[in-house]
Amino acid sequence: MRIMKPYTKNSLGKIKGPNNSIDVFTKLDTTENIDVSVVKAFGEEWKKFSVHQEDSVIELRKEYFDIIDETMVNKDTYMIDIGCGSGRWTEYFIDKAGFIEAIDPSDAIMVADKMVGQKSNVRLTKASVDTIPWEDETFDFGMSIGVLHHIPDTKQALISCVKKIKSGGYFYVYLYYRFDNRGILFKSIFHFSNLLRWVISRMPQRLKKITCDILATLVYWPLAKITALFYKLKWNKLARRLPLAAYYNKPYYNMRNDCLDRFGTKLEQRFLRSEIEEMMKGAGLTDIKFGETAAFWHAVGRKG
Ligand SMILES: C[S@@+](CC[C@H](N)C(=O)[O-])C[C@H]1O[C@@H](n2cnc3c(N)ncnc32)[C@H](O)[C@@H]1O
């Protein structure tokens, strides 16, 4: 197992988590490439969805990590999870990697400390993409799952992340897609849902959470069940076309979590596959490989 490397920046202080004392490097202000209101909303979101439910990650793991293999992550890998949230994906790699640094600027880091803080090969740090407290070229593998589209300058954020990866190492990213592989109806539904997001994300916390639970129950869950039925009837083509079809095999817990993620966040950006590829190349990645099935888009590249 690899030994973690010391911080190369001065810590601004420490906060007490359930298992560890966690160093803080983010000031959470406009000097960083960060949207403070988004980060606060995520702190609330992950407190609400802090209970780790195994069935809520099983299908998602298959979707996200279908393009990761042992040449990228193995027992010698020193890795970083950027924007780790509750730590659910950090946990997935605990038995696969050598040592994992998991960072997040929000209070979700406390939830992550509860989930993975007792493991000997994980360290949690309260930091943002702009305040990653290690030298450039430190990590063999880095990942940022569902994070960089919630940051004002996604392109620059990706550059900041990839800088921390060693030459020959890998960086994995999942960014919201701009429905480039969908038809006009799907895109129109999205525009309507975006209006809803504008309203819901500005609601007071409690009302926002209740509204998202209602949406999950009245929209996500029925559509997921209809999709499952279509698959059962072997109407696969039709099933795949339904909005929210990806939830057909996911538990209700995921729907509530993702609904709050989707509608509770003020800043959300979406990208075409070609734009993501261009940003990854611009950040210094080569041999870029995209996942060809949901979640769209997830991709990994090697630092040249
Ligand atoms: C949708 S959550 C994803 C969490 C986790 N990666 C997952 O998939 O479960 C987005 C996370 O990005 C974090 N985040 C927001 N702005 C960030 C920034 N500037 N740098 C690093 N993380 C950030 C949030 O605090 C939040 O926990």
Side-chain angles (χ1 to χ4, degrees):
M1 186 186 299
R2 287 225 179 177
I3 304 298
M4 61 196 185
K5 294 201 172 159
Y7 295 129
T8 51
K9 288 183 181 166
N10 292 329
S11 166
L12 300 175
K14 285 182 186 283
I15 47 168
K16 182 91 196 72
N19 286 303
N20 298 286
S21 161
I22 299 166
D23 279 282
V24 178
F25 292 90
T26 175
K27 287 191 190 143
L28 277 186
D29 65 17
T30 47
T31 58
E32 295 172 33
N33 184 8
I34 200 165
D35 186 309
V36 178
S37 69
V38 163
V39 168
K40 290 201 172 131
F42 275 122
E44 289 299 319
E45 175 183 328
W46 290 116
K47 273 186 232 160
K48 181 171 158 95
F49 292 100
S50 62
V51 183
H52 183 51
Q53 294 195 347
E54 187 59 16
D55 66 343
S56 73
V57 287
I58 292 172
E59 291 303 324
L60 279 175
R61 277 176 192 159
K62 287 186 215 154
E63 291 181 4
Y64 283 146
F65 304 125
D66 58 342
I67 51 174
I68 305 294
D69 62 36
E70 275 190 34
T71 56
M72 300 175 198
V73 182
N74 55 58
K75 287 285 179 194
D76 287 325
T77 305
Y78 185 34
M79 72 174 269
I80 182 164
D81 182 0
I82 298 169
C84 64
S86 67
R88 57 185 177 159
W89 307 128
T90 308
E91 192 200 29
Y92 172 73
F93 283 100
I94 281 174
D95 298 331
K96 299 174 177 61
F99 194 93
I100 311 177
E101 305 282 4
I103 72 163
D104 200 287
S106 77
D107 288 344
I109 203 74
M110 302 294 224
V111 180
D113 187 41
K114 194 168 160 204
M115 193 186 286
V116 295
Q118 282 170 325
K119 299 288 178 180
S120 59
N121 64 335
V122 177
R123 173 170 56 180
L124 297 150
T125 303
K126 197 165 196 261
S128 69
V129 285
D130 265 7
T131 55
I132 301 173
W134 295 278
E135 301 276 0
D136 291 351
E137 306 256 330
T138 294
F139 297 97
D140 305 299
F141 179 82
M143 63 182 191
S144 194
I145 303 181
V147 176
L148 306 185
H149 45 230
H150 295 303
I151 294 182
D153 187 341
T154 301
K155 185 176 166 190
Q156 187 52 48
L158 185 63
I159 292 171
S160 305
C161 294
V162 174
K163 266 190 188 161
K164 301 296 165 187
I165 305 300
K166 281 180 190 163
S167 171
Y170 295 87
F171 192 77
Y172 170 96
V173 70
Y174 162 57
L175 285 169
Y176 284 162
Y177 73 144
R178 209 158 76 224
F179 306 104
D180 25 344
N181 53 0
R182 300 289 187 179
I184 190 84
L185 182 66
F186 208 97
K187 286 177 181 150
S188 311
I189 294 171
F190 164 70
H191 287 303
F192 171 69
S193 77
N194 222 18
L195 280 179
L196 267 186
R197 182 174 64 81
W198 194 92
V199 177
I200 295 171
S201 65
R202 281 159 178 81
M203 288 177 173
Q205 262 324 315
R206 217 174 122 71
L207 184 60
K208 187 198 287 186
K209 286 178 186 172
I210 294 170
T211 309
C212 288
D213 277 351
I214 293 173
L215 266 182
T217 310
L218 298 184
V219 181
Y220 278 60
W221 190 82
L223 278 168
K225 292 298 149 200
I226 293 170
T227 309
L229 176 69
F230 281 12
Y231 275 126
K232 216 169 172 182
L233 295 169
K234 304 263 182 280
W235 299 350
N236 294 0
K237 215 169 159 190
L238 203 57
R240 275 195 293 273
R241 284 199 184 145
L242 286 179
L244 303 172
Y247 290 93
Y248 85 98
N249 56 357
K250 311 262 172 22
Y252 178 56
Y253 185 86
N254 276 138
M255 300 177 204
R256 289 175 55 227
N257 189 166
D258 286 3
C259 194
L260 184 56
D261 201 296
R262 168 79 182 82
F263 290 94
T265 313
K266 277 189 197 160
L267 176 66
E268 167 197 291
Q269 308 191 66
R270 290 187 171 264
F271 300 92
L272 301 175
R273 177 178 172 145
S274 56
E275 290 169 338
I276 297 173
E277 188 164 4
E278 202 174 305
M279 283 195 290
M280 290 176 82
K281 282 183 183 160
L285 297 170
T286 58
D287 300 339
I288 294 162
K289 185 176 173 189
F290 276 81
E292 298 300 338
T293 49
F296 300 116
W297 294 107
H298 60 291
V300 66
R302 194 169 61 80
K303 190 160 173 190

